[in-house]
Amino acid sequence: MLWPGLSLLVVGDRIGAVFGSLVEVPLRPSNKKYQGTNSTFVFTNISSHPVIYRPTGLNRYFTLCNIEFLAIGGGSHFAVYLDGDLLNGSRSVSETYGNPCLANS
């Protein structure tokens, strides 16, 4: 759905971690074109308290959205990756945000 403002993506894993991202652009499907600005961030609570990771400035791989997946961050890995159904995904270290893995599982 196109939304003309900020979107807060909140995801949980099966062990209780809550993580996600603040996305400031409408999530429009695109063909391998990243969107967003350095006002975006990712967050997690795996250390028992909320932690925010802001862009490192190494790249501009903020948000990648198409009909098959939604990805936040980039470099060699995505910080958050969700399949098109938004029910399954993965997380990893991202050069965009300098974050550790945001989830437990």
Side-chain angles (χ1 to χ4, degrees), residues 19-99:
F19 58 99
S21 178
L22 179 74
V23 180
E24 65 168 336
V25 296
L27 296 175
R28 293 188 180 110
S30 66
N31 292 326
K32 301 253 181 193
K33 183 179 178 191
Y34 279 88
Q35 305 173 69
T37 70
N38 62 2
S39 294
T40 63
F41 61 82
V42 296
F43 63 89
T44 185
N45 76 338
I46 60 171
S47 61
S48 299
H49 63 282
V51 178
I52 292 175
Y53 297 93
R54 298 195 183 275
T56 62
L58 293 176
N59 60 43
R60 297 187 54 81
Y61 302 150
F62 303 115
T63 305
L64 182 58
C65 178
N66 66 38
I67 59 172
E68 296 177 12
F69 67 86
L70 170 62
I72 310 295
S76 18
H77 301 285
F78 300 120
V80 178
Y81 174 92
L82 296 171
D83 291 340
D85 61 8
L86 304 179
L87 296 175
N88 296 294
S90 63
R91 76 289 175 263
S92 190
V93 174
S94 164
E95 293 169 6
T96 305
Y97 296 103
N99 61 284

